[in-house]
């Protein structure tokens, strides 16, 4: 997604006038697009820098620890920014407001949070946005399952995988497995068998 996103950011900014629906005014919409673009570019730059530092020094090195803390601080800052954007827009800044691919940014920033309560707070908004075509469904399905697993409940779409006691990849418990593929299809996910094969899970 990173490559696709970065290649489309400039196009999105140049073509900002193509989206007629706006949160309040054309000026505010352009401001929101610019803000989301800046957030995403900084997010990806810092994460790429951390990856390079970890490869060079190792996960436990002070340099890597400092870089991780820098990302945590950035994530908190970006979460606050995204929450301001949501308040300004009056809802999720989705496709009809900011266009693609910027419609994914607020979701990604909130997903970065390590605070489960943040995920739970915004999941209903994400779900509604996905149902209205404002946000991709697949990511919402993953976050839905993530929240379920965190709460020690059965997941709905079967997206969450872990390493079991045998040291093998396994899937967290799933509710109503008989209708799993139907639910996955509704969220634009591939059939479960194909997903397990791609993830290297033996069932």
């Amino acid at each position: 997604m990173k490559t696709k996103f970065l290649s489309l950011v400039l196009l999105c900014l140049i073509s900002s006038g193509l989206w007629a629906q706006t949160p309040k005014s054309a000026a505010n919409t352009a401001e929101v697009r610019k803000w989301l673009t800046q957030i995403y570019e900084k997010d990806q730059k810092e994460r790429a820098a951390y990856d390079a530092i970890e490869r060079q020094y190792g996960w436990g090195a002070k340099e890597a620890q400092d870089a991780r803390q820098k990302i945590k601080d950035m994530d908190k800052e970006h979460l606050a920014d995204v929450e301001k954007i949501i308040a300004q827009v009056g809802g999720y800044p989705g496709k009809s407001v900011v266009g693609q691919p910027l419609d994914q940014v607020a979701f990604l920033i909130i997903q970065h949070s390590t605070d489960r309560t943040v995920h739970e707070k915004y999941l209903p908004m994400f779900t509604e946005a996905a149902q209205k075509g404002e946000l991709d469904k697949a990511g919402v399905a993953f976050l839905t399952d993530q929240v379920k697993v965190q709460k020690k409940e059965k997941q709905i779409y079967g997206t969450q995988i872990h390493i079991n006691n045998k040291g093998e990849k396994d899937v967290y418990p799933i509710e109503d497995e008989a209708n799993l593929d139907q639910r996955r299809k509704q969220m634009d996910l591939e059939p479960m068998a194909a997903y397990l094969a791609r993830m290297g899970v033996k069932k």
Side-chain angles (χ1 to χ4, degrees), residues 1-6 40 101 104-105 108:
M1 174 181 174
K2 293 180 183 178
T3 302
K4 178 181 177 182
F5 186 100
L6 293 175
Y40 183 83
Q104 300 295 314
V105 177
L108 290 173

Side-chain angles (χ1 to χ4, degrees), residues 6 18 49 64 85 96 107 112 126 128 140 157 168 176 188:
L6 293 175
L18 295 179
I85 289 172
S96 67
F107 173 81
H112 284 332
F126 293 155
E128 181 180 4
V140 177
Y157 303 105
E168 301 171 339
D176 186 21
D188 297 332

Side-chain angles (χ1 to χ4, degrees), residues 5 35-36 75 78 83 135 179 181 186-187 192 198:
F5 186 100
W35 199 354
L36 288 172
D75 285 346
H78 284 171
E83 289 182 321
L135 178 65
N179 296 302
D181 275 342
Q186 291 172 347
M187 299 302 284
M192 191 62 181
R198 181 164 61 83

Side-chain angles (χ1 to χ4, degrees), residues 29-46:
T29 303
E31 179 184 339
V32 168
R33 289 183 181 129
K34 181 179 180 180
W35 199 354
L36 288 172
T37 300
Q38 292 171 341
I39 288 171
Y40 183 83
E41 289 180 341
K42 182 177 179 181
D43 176 271
Q44 294 302 294
K45 179 181 178 181
E46 293 299 335

Side-chain angles (χ1 to χ4, degrees), residues 166-194:
K166 298 179 181 179
E168 301 171 339
K169 288 184 178 180
D170 200 357
V171 182
Y172 283 106
I174 304 167
E175 67 177 51
D176 186 21
E177 291 194 55
N179 296 302
L180 174 59
D181 275 342
Q182 181 179 346
R183 294 195 301 275
R184 289 179 63 86
K185 184 177 181 180
Q186 291 172 347
M187 299 302 284
D188 297 332
L189 296 169
E190 63 192 322
M192 191 62 181

